[in-house]
Amino acid sequence: MRQKKSTLIITFATTTQAMAVEKFCQDHELPGRIIPVPREITAGCGLSWKAAPEDRERLADALRDGGLGWEEMHIIEI
Amino acid sequence: MIYLDNAATTLQKPQCVIDAVVRAMNSMGNASRGAHSSSLSASRVVYDTRCKIAKLFGCSRADHVVFTCNSTEALNIALGGLFVSGDHVITTDLEHNSVLRPLYRLEKEGIISLNFVPADVKGRPDYSAFETLIRRNTKAIVCTHASNLTGNMIDLERVGRIARDHGILLVVDASQTAGAVPIDMERMNIDVLCFTGHKGLMAPQGTGGLCIREGVEIRPFKVGGSGVHSYDKEQPSAYPTRLEAGTLNSHGIAGLSAALDYLNEVGIETIRSKETMLMQRFYEGVSRLDGITVYGDFDFERTAVVTLNIGDEDSAIISDVLYEDYGIATRPGAHCAPRMHEALGTTEQGAVRFSFSWFNTEEEVDEAIRAVAELAES
């Protein structure tokens, strides 16, 4: 059985928001990548940003400073 | 063939646009419909293109760039989603049916009342009317940036100042100018800019969109798949998803993206001066001929369009002879601009439109002048 681990998930209102965050993170060498939104957060579809829990503050600060939008940040076991 | 119907669509596209579409069709999945690499590559191209469009038109937010399949769809979304019962709208005699018909329908449905800024016999709008027509319930001025029939441009900075001073919206149809003339939503005070990709932007047909100023609310006219919030019963409210139900034309948008790179590389000002030079050369060549009537105002800023008639000859027949005998493609008839023809007095005769692009040459222009001269003599 796959070992679950604690993960930071950032969700978005639109795919455009997700793409903006991906581009921003790549340009600023911030950690993480796009994954489908896990069902623990919302049983729909869409994209989210996955990173390590310890990157939460760093990412939140950088996105806020960069004027990037997101919906929610969660730490979940996936 | 000498193609002089670029106001309808630019026939010749930069090779990089064609290559980009082919690449996209070999690699891109459905944008916003998954997190695998083929879907993400489409999502990335679409997002990148939003950013380029926002920059080109001075739209402050890339997520307020909404893609549609052309200007007509963009205008239908804007006009169908902005107004509520009792609103008053001002538009002009210069408009294309893509503006007129959505407004006529809203008027017929009893939702809006409508007034027109008149044009004179040279197709110039009466700027004072933009102000005198404003009422207490006026919601918006809807106007073209340039007449598709005469090539006359409307001074949007002037109209934008009037709209701002009176607290009303300015919705612009940039079908004839996007890519061919610099546009700045901030400087011109434009609230909604509707554009098409396949004309001055030299992108594939099936591309276009609207750029929306932050704070302007447009109700969606179509709802459906969005790739996000799938269990919500309503279309997501955030732009651009609010107005983009259904699969986007990502392959075409990849072409649009390449076209924007090409425009930036060459420079819109460089393209504009060449097109203006070709238009001016043709105008000077034909306007001195006997029996030729040229329409429009050549003393003000204009697009690369020259529209004329030869005596009282049917414009359809002249256009046909130009194509059959000289291999020159032009556009006769009404050009979907009924009120403009009424102002010019050409509803019966129509008119023959010659429209030039970045890829036309002086030699082609001179051949067209010779053809018109021969026809005028005969």
Side-chain angles (χ1 to χ4, degrees), chain A residues 12-17 19-24 26 33-37 42-48 68 71, chain B residues 31-35 40 43-44 47-48 50-51 62-63 226-231 236 238-242 244:
Chain A
F12 305 103
T14 62
T15 304
T16 307
Q17 267 187 357
M19 289 298 105
V21 165
E22 184 188 54
K23 185 164 189 343
F24 182 83
Q26 282 168 354
R33 68 181 177 90
I34 293 281
I35 67 161
V37 181
T42 168
C45 42
L47 304 177
S48 59
L68 278 289
E71 259 185 345
Chain B
S32 189
R33 302 293 191 275
L40 283 180
S43 297
R44 287 174 188 133
Y47 175 69
D48 250 13
R50 286 191 213 284
C51 295
D63 61 359
S226 58
V228 293
H229 298 291
S230 293
Y231 289 93
Y239 289 133
T241 310
R242 183 198 297 195
E244 282 184 349

Side-chain angles (χ1 to χ4, degrees), chain B residues 122-201:
Chain B
K122 279 193 158 185
R124 297 172 296 198
D126 172 4
Y127 284 96
S128 67
F130 281 106
E131 199 137 25
T132 55
L133 287 171
I134 292 173
R135 300 182 199 160
R136 182 187 43 78
N137 59 336
T138 302
K139 176 79 178 276
I141 294 170
V142 183
C143 80
T144 187
H145 193 188
S147 161
N148 69 309
L149 174 54
T150 64
N152 288 359
M153 282 171 60
I154 288 184
D155 182 348
L156 285 183
E157 277 190 61
R158 189 170 171 184
V159 179
R161 272 196 300 276
I162 295 169
R164 191 186 52 214
D165 291 349
H166 292 270
I168 58 180
L169 299 173
L170 175 59
V171 180
V172 170
D173 170 11
S175 301
Q176 292 297 318
T177 53
V181 180
I183 295 172
D184 185 334
M185 289 178 71
E186 282 304 315
R187 187 165 50 81
M188 295 167 166
N189 196 46
I190 298 169
D191 294 285
V192 184
L193 181 81
C194 301
F195 67 94
T196 195
H198 69 98
K199 299 188 184 195
L201 287 166

Side-chain angles (χ1 to χ4, degrees), chain B residues 10-25 197-205 207 250-263 265 358-359:
Chain B
T10 44
L11 183 67
Q12 190 174 343
K13 313 291 185 189
Q15 187 59 41
C16 63
V17 173
I18 298 161
D19 294 343
V21 175
V22 171
R23 260 197 319 278
M25 292 189 78
H198 69 98
K199 299 188 184 195
L201 287 166
M202 298 188 278
Q205 295 177 5
T207 59
S250 304
H251 298 143
I253 291 169
L256 174 60
S257 182
L260 291 164
D261 292 342
Y262 181 83
L263 277 181
E265 204 179 298
W358 168 243
F359 288 110

Side-chain angles (χ1 to χ4, degrees), chain B residues 92-97 100-101 104 116-124 144 147-152 293-296 305-310 313-316 319 331-354:
Chain B
T92 81
D93 277 349
L94 280 72
E95 306 308 315
H96 186 276
N97 271 337
L100 295 174
R101 283 180 173 158
Y104 285 143
F116 288 87
V117 169
D120 66 11
V121 76
K122 279 193 158 185
R124 297 172 296 198
T144 187
S147 161
N148 69 309
L149 174 54
T150 64
N152 288 359
T293 307
V294 178
Y295 302 95
V305 166
V306 179
T307 298
L308 56 81
N309 272 315
I310 300 177
E313 296 282 344
D314 180 347
S315 66
S319 183
R331 176 90 185 276
H335 314 87
C336 306
R339 296 184 72 97
M340 193 72 268
H341 275 288
E342 282 167 20
L344 301 178
T346 49
T347 47
E348 288 299 315
Q349 191 177 9
V352 187
R353 182 182 68 185
F354 298 74

Side-chain angles (χ1 to χ4, degrees), chain B residues 61-130:
Chain B
R61 291 186 56 162
D63 61 359
H64 281 44
V65 174
V66 171
F67 287 119
T68 62
C69 63
N70 49 41
S71 284
T72 298
E73 189 184 2
L75 285 159
N76 270 267
I77 289 171
L79 303 179
L82 276 173
F83 304 124
V84 294
S85 190
D87 282 342
H88 173 244
V89 177
I90 296 168
T91 188
T92 81
D93 277 349
L94 280 72
E95 306 308 315
H96 186 276
N97 271 337
S98 56
V99 167
L100 295 174
R101 283 180 173 158
L103 291 176
Y104 285 143
R105 183 167 69 176
L106 289 164
E107 185 185 39
K108 193 177 171 194
E109 289 169 350
I111 295 167
I112 63 163
S113 53
L114 191 58
N115 278 116
F116 288 87
V117 169
D120 66 11
V121 76
K122 279 193 158 185
R124 297 172 296 198
D126 172 4
Y127 284 96
S128 67
F130 281 106

